[in-house]
């Protein structure tokens, strides 16, 4: 039985889930141009059906459905509250080619060979058995259909100069994710994971983005995902409050400075299903 994974929505109450939905909406805006790039890799315009695994509140699925009004986009997520928001989004924006379902990505409620494309963004880093999920994506995708993964890799980010306690923060994040089944360095492993599932013609586009070219304040707030709660790294004894405060104050200063270089590593990976 797979571990719950590192994105556990049971930890969200009414306030924190609202903040998380906002964060995911901002992140999909932030990645808009890369999502368009992704569609190009899919030859998206002619595609009739696409599945978004772990779609959350549906912002990216909605972008897909607008970019290809002739194709049906279906999003699945195990969190009912996200699916409710996603259905409201489709209804309010009168998007008719967009549907959502509550489902676990280890056991998708679709027949074999249903979709022309299966896609997932920022989900495989959170699951304890990414190979099982990719195989499930492959099962529901037609032969010669495409599988796309949009991921990041925290170990490939660049910070110059470095905030104090950067390494400790990184190790703590790694440890906390690992204990629940996630992997903040999944991005670099996605190519071999797809290959091991028999996916062919895999292309990898690394997108190394300078934070200063985007929204610096969003980068900072995204780093502070815990909100006003006691930070889990402190709770688990991985960092002291003092170390964490130092890390954050250095990070904020460095991110806001024009004399620093901070970049964020994403990867766009697409391959074809061979059955
Ligand atoms: C970081 S969010 C990404 C949401 C969305 N893909 C996006 O790009 O905005 C991770 C999502 O994966 C979902 N998730 C995690 N494990 C899952 C599972 N086993 N089955 C289905 N969804 C899952 C979570 O509920 C959450 O919505």
């Amino acid at each position: 039985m797979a571990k719950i994974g590192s994105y556990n929505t049971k930890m969200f109450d009414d306030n924190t889930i609202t903040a998380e939905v906002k964060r995911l909406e901002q992140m999909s805006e932030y990645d808009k141009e890369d999502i368009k790039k992704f569609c190009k890799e899919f030859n998206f315009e002619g595609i009739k059906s696409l599945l978004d695994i772990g779609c959350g509140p549906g912002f990216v699925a909605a972008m897909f459905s607008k970019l290809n009004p002739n194709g049906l986009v279906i999003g699945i997520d195990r969190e009912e509250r996200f699916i409710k928001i996603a259905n409201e989004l489709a209804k309010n924006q009168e998007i008719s080619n967009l549907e959502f379902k509550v489902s676990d990505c280890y056991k998708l409620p679709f027949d074999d060979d249903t979709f022309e494309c299966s896609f997932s963004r920022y989900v495989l880093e959170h699951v304890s058995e990414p190979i099982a999920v990719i195989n499930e994506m492959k099962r529901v995708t037609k032969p010669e259909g495409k599988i796309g993964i949009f991921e990041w890799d925290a170990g490939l980010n660049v910070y110059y100069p470095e905030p104090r306690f950067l390494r400790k923060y990184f190790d703590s994040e790694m440890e906390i994710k690992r204990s629940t089944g996630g992997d903040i360095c999944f991005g670099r492993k996605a190519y071999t994971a797809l290959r091991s599932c028999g996916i062919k013609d895999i292309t990898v586009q690394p997108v190394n983005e300078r934070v200063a070219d985007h929204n610096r304040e969003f980068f900072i707030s995204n780093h502070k995902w815990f909100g006003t709660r006691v930070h889990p790294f402190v709770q688990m004894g991985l960092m002291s409050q003092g170390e964490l405060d130092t890390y954050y104050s250095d990070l904020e200063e460095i991110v806001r400075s024009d004399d620093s270089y901070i970049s964020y590593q994403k990867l766009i990976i697409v391959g074809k299903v061979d059955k």
Side-chain angles (χ1 to χ4, degrees):
M1 171 106 171
K3 285 187 187 172
I4 185 127
S6 56
Y7 192 99
N8 180 1
T9 43
K10 288 200 176 88
M11 289 183 337
F12 294 122
D13 61 22
D14 288 352
N15 289 331
T16 49
I17 202 155
T18 306
E20 178 60 2
V21 169
K22 186 83 213 145
R23 186 185 76 89
L24 292 172
E25 184 175 19
Q26 282 178 314
M27 258 172 64
S28 51
E29 273 303 307
Y30 193 95
D31 283 341
K32 206 151 107 190
E33 290 311 310
D34 296 323
I35 290 164
K36 284 188 190 154
K37 244 184 240 164
F38 208 54
C39 292
K40 253 195 196 146
E41 289 295 316
F42 271 159
N43 293 330
F44 195 57
E45 272 154 35
I47 280 173
K48 297 272 180 292
S49 54
L50 178 134
L51 177 66
D52 181 2
I53 315 269
C55 62
F59 301 114
V60 176
M63 277 183 193
F64 271 123
S65 60
K66 286 179 191 161
L67 287 164
N68 182 9
N70 298 321
L72 174 66
V73 177
I74 299 185
I76 70 96
D77 201 283
R78 69 179 173 187
E79 174 51 61
E80 271 180 52
R81 290 171 291 180
F82 283 163
I83 294 300
K84 190 166 173 266
I85 293 169
N87 277 322
E88 279 162 13
L89 177 88
K91 197 172 153 211
N92 294 342
Q93 297 193 9
E94 298 180 7
I95 312 174
S96 57
N97 61 332
L98 181 59
E99 293 173 12
F100 296 99
K101 266 187 184 13
V102 177
S103 154
D104 199 291
C105 60
Y106 289 105
K107 206 171 182 318
L108 296 169
F110 305 107
D111 292 338
D112 295 357
D113 308 341
T114 301
F115 296 93
E116 286 180 25
C117 264
S118 296
F119 154 82
S120 152
R121 173 172 173 267
Y122 300 149
V123 178
L124 294 181
E125 65 180 276
H126 290 295
V127 299
S128 61
E129 291 177 34
I131 301 288
V133 176
I134 296 168
N135 273 323
E136 188 61 356
M137 291 168 85
K138 181 179 166 184
R139 181 186 69 74
V140 300
T141 307
K142 293 179 193 288
E144 299 297 308
K146 289 194 173 172
I147 303 253
I149 310 290
F150 191 120
E151 267 302 340
W152 77 303
D153 188 316
L156 302 175
N157 289 355
V158 172
Y159 297 82
Y160 184 76
E162 287 190 358
R164 281 170 288 170
F165 301 109
L166 174 68
R167 189 74 228 174
K168 205 159 184 186
Y169 183 91
F170 176 84
D171 289 344
S172 305
E173 195 163 18
M174 192 72 158
E175 178 53 35
I176 214 161
K177 291 272 164 70
R178 203 172 13 218
S179 66
T180 49
D183 182 355
I184 56 173
C185 294
F186 179 74
R188 73 188 66 181
K189 298 170 191 163
Y191 174 84
T192 49
L194 285 179
R195 266 188 73 84
S196 75
C197 296
I199 305 299
K200 64 179 181 182
D201 301 341
I202 306 168
T203 58
V204 181
Q205 278 187 51
V207 181
N208 193 269
E209 222 163 59
R210 188 174 175 215
V211 170
D213 295 336
H214 275 271
N215 186 336
R216 301 183 206 214
E217 294 310 313
F218 177 65
F219 184 82
I220 294 168
S221 69
N222 206 22
H223 250 73
K224 293 187 149 183
W225 47 268
F226 58 95
T228 52
R229 291 166 286 174
V230 176
H231 200 295
F233 299 175
V234 176
Q235 247 174 22
M236 288 179 68
L238 297 166
M239 286 180 89
S240 72
Q241 188 64 54
E243 288 168 343
L244 197 67
D245 292 343
T246 305
Y247 168 75
Y248 278 129
S249 68
D250 281 7
L251 181 76
E252 289 182 29
E253 194 182 320
I254 294 163
V255 169
R256 290 186 181 126
S257 162
D258 287 330
D259 297 322
S260 65
Y261 182 83
I262 299 191
S263 70
Y264 183 79
Q265 181 75 59
K266 296 180 273 190
L267 296 118
I268 296 174
I269 303 135
V270 176
K272 249 191 202 165
V273 171
D274 194 11
K275 294 191 190 171

